[in-house]
Every structure is written in C-alpha cells, then in structure tokens.
Amino acid sequence: MTVRTILRAAAVLGASSLALTACTTSDNSGPRADRSSESRPSDPASESPAPDRTAAPDDNSGRVLAQVTGRDSIVLTITGVERAASGKSVTVSATLKNSGTKGFFGISAYGGTDASIKGRMHSLAGATLTDTAHNMRYYVLRDTAGGCLCSTALRALKSGETVPVFAQFPAPPASVRSVDFQLPTFPNATIPLGAAR
C-alpha cells in the first residue's frame, strides 16, 4: 500500500467519524470552539493503525501552486491540492525548505495552539484553509486518536534542507475554486481548488 492509499483510507474513515471542523471567521475575538464533542468510535479495537505521517503524499514534484517565505528564511512551496473522490476532504501537499545559512529549530510553531491535538508540537496541525468568499475557516482533520491528518514528527531543518509535508482538511463546497492556506509564521498563500478526482 502506498502512503497515498493509506491516507485516502484514513480520510474516508476520518470524514465519516469526525465532525467537520469548519467555523466562521467573522468573529476572531472569541475563544475557539470546543472540539471535545467530536465523535469517536466506541470500540478501540475497531481502530485501524495510524498511517505514517512523516512524508507527504504524492506532491506532483516540480509543480508550484504558491510559494511564501516565513521567518528565518523558511520557504513553503505548495505543490499539490487534491479533493478526495468523495468530495469530503482536501489534501494540500507542500515542501518546507530552509534557505537560510543556519539550522532552523522553530518547527513547533507550525503545530498551532490547540492543545487538544495529540502530537501537534512537531506537526502542521496549526495549518488552516480559509474560504474568503463564504467567510469560512477549515482546520486540519483529526484521526480517531485525536492526532492531526497532517505531517508529524517534523524535526529541525539544516541549512539547505527540504522536507515534503501535507495537511488534510474538510472540503469547502464544490463551487469554491480558491482558498487561502495559512501556516503559523508564514503569510497567506492563495491556492486553487479543483474538482474531486
């Protein structure tokens, strides 16, 4: 099985067992919604093993949909955006490159601030998609164990090092053709959304 096949299976399971984590962005002043009410399977034995999230799914290498530079000369290059065949999720594939002259140890900032996400400190759990036309923000999906459906176990980046990453989100409506991808410490990157494959 390929990582992509495993991730698609996890997405189908995750989408059916998790409440979509979309919320409006019109009121940024209040606290984030409590996510403790997300559904979880009642039988732990029925859970499938977690997929390997240290690498990105097929990232259509060489294709650049957007590129932004964050702090300490870290370059985020978005190389793929794919709606699942079910139309229920979107996977964003990218690379992170340290274009600076020193090692980068600030990966933990990419995990965001939601402490209820397991293993978020060295992941892309803080990534979001924003549909500005409908004023909706979509957070990274979670698996049944509370971990993000995104790259995890990220480590410091040496100077010149590039790593593939991904994050999976609830899908905006099919009519939405572009969204803003946000990752803590980076400017927004507007990316196209196509139809389900």
Side-chain angles (χ1 to χ4, degrees):
M1 276 184 138
T2 66
V3 171
R4 179 177 235 145
T5 303
I6 292 171
L7 288 173
R8 283 189 176 150
V12 171
L13 289 173
S16 65
S17 66
L18 295 175
L20 292 179
T21 55
C23 70
T24 63
T25 59
S26 60
D27 182 13
N28 292 332
S29 62
R32 287 176 61 166
D34 178 23
R35 295 183 182 173
S36 61
S37 63
E38 290 178 348
S39 63
R40 304 275 188 250
S42 57
D43 179 13
S46 67
E47 292 181 23
S48 58
D52 175 11
R53 295 194 193 114
T54 57
D58 180 15
D59 65 358
N60 300 311
S61 292
R63 187 172 153 203
V64 175
L65 300 176
Q67 190 171 65
V68 290
T69 302
R71 72 173 185 214
D72 297 325
S73 301
I74 303 301
V75 178
L76 171 70
T77 303
I78 299 175
T79 56
V81 180
E82 184 178 345
R83 281 187 194 262
S86 68
K88 293 182 180 180
S89 66
V90 171
T91 301
V92 176
S93 301
T95 60
L96 287 171
K97 179 179 182 178
N98 182 351
S99 62
T101 58
K102 300 177 184 175
F104 177 70
F105 300 93
I107 294 285
S108 62
Y110 305 156
T113 58
D114 188 346
S116 68
I117 299 175
K118 293 183 180 177
R120 72 176 171 83
M121 291 303 291
H122 296 282
S123 74
L124 294 190
T128 61
L129 291 181
T130 302
D131 169 8
T132 55
H134 296 98
N135 207 30
M136 295 290 291
R137 179 172 287 154
Y138 300 87
Y139 295 91
V140 174
L141 287 170
R142 297 187 203 180
D143 62 20
T144 56
C148 73
L149 292 178
C150 64
S151 293
T152 59
L154 298 174
R155 55 177 176 69
L157 292 173
K158 298 175 187 171
S159 176
E161 184 177 12
T162 300
V163 295
V165 294
F166 77 97
Q168 195 165 39
F169 302 89
S175 61
V176 175
R177 293 296 178 213
S178 70
V179 291
D180 286 345
F181 178 85
Q182 294 114 3
L183 187 64
T185 78
F186 288 91
N188 293 352
T190 301
I191 54 176
L193 275 182
R197 291 187 192 186

